[in-house]
């Protein structure tokens, strides 16, 4: 009987420990959304959402105030106010207010040095920027704050159940006094 209780407690502890690990992994793979702000009185604003995908990151641009397009978009070194004019990554042009591109990099590596997402007025007017978002450490989510609490709780419960299982095992292993 005690052996069965130990198996149940150990199994529950393992399940909770795996749940805590899964929670931590999910927190590390969350999407990050940056605000694209208008530039040059364009009236264009929106969001740039970075979602981890495979070994890279998918960048989704959603804007309002733009025409049908296409409007080129890039990730440049520098910031919205001081930009390296040579793009490091080309994003799909914004058409009808959106674009999606998967890049072979991570948001964390982009934020390691100053970068910015820039949207241009048109293919003919690449030097006219209409919307921008800075990518920097302050724009990244503070990973693990909310989810780490959940992970810690599940981890503690899992360890407690594993400890209970060990206590029950020791108790069942003690020789019983005969009457």
């Amino acid at each position: 009987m005690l052996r069965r209780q130990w198996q149940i407690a150990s199994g529950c502890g393992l399940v909770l420990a795996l749940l805590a690990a899964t929670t931590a992994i999910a927190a590390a793979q969350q999407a990050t959304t940056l605000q694209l702000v208008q530039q040059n009185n364009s009236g264009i604003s929106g969001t740039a959402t970075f979602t981890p995908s495979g070994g890279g990151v998918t960048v989704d641009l959603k804007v309002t105030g733009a025409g049908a397009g296409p409007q080129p978009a890039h990730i440049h070194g520098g910031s919205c106010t001081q930009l390296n004019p040579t793009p490091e990554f080309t994003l799909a042009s914004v058409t009808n207010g959106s674009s999606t591109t998967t890049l072979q990099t991570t948001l964390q590596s982009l934020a390691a040095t100053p970068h910015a997402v820039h949207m241009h007025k048109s293919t003919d007017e690449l030097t006219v920027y209409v919307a921008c978002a800075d990518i920097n450490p302050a724009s990244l989510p503070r990973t693990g704050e909310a989810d780490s609490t959940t992970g810690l709780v599940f981890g503690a419960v899992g360890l407690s159940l594993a400890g209970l299982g060990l206590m029950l095992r020791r108790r069942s292993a003690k020789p019983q006094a005969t009457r």
Side-chain angles (χ1 to χ4, degrees), residues 6-179:
W6 176 82
Q7 290 172 335
I8 291 170
S10 296
C12 288
L14 179 60
V15 167
L16 287 172
L18 288 172
L19 185 58
T22 302
T23 301
I25 290 168
Q29 294 187 4
Q30 66 189 16
T32 299
T33 300
L34 305 177
Q35 297 301 309
L36 287 164
V37 296
Q38 76 168 338
Q39 289 187 307
N40 297 312
N41 296 315
S42 68
I44 297 172
S45 62
T47 59
T49 302
F50 294 79
T51 306
S53 96
V57 64
T58 298
V59 182
D60 288 305
L61 302 180
K62 304 283 186 218
V63 300
T64 58
Q71 291 178 271
H74 302 99
I75 295 177
H76 294 259
S79 66
C80 291
T81 57
Q82 193 169 19
L83 181 72
N84 177 342
T86 305
E88 284 189 37
F89 296 95
T90 299
L91 303 175
S93 291
V94 176
T95 305
N96 296 319
S98 68
S99 87
T100 300
T101 310
T102 300
L103 303 174
Q104 294 305 307
T105 189
T106 64
L107 183 56
Q108 288 73 17
S109 70
L110 288 171
T113 59
H115 283 85
V117 177
H118 268 271
M119 188 171 145
H120 305 266
K121 185 172 183 179
S122 68
T123 307
D124 295 331
E125 297 178 272
L126 286 174
T127 58
V128 179
Y129 302 121
V130 294
C132 183
D134 285 326
I135 305 170
N136 56 50
S139 63
L140 295 179
R142 292 168 41 176
T143 57
E145 282 186 353
D147 290 334
S148 70
T149 303
T150 305
L152 287 173
V153 168
F154 281 122
V157 170
L159 289 173
S160 297
L161 286 173
L164 176 63
L166 289 173
M167 284 181 14
L168 291 172
R169 183 173 185 202
R170 282 188 186 163
R171 187 172 174 191
S172 67
K174 286 184 181 178
Q176 301 293 323
T178 56
R179 294 184 186 181

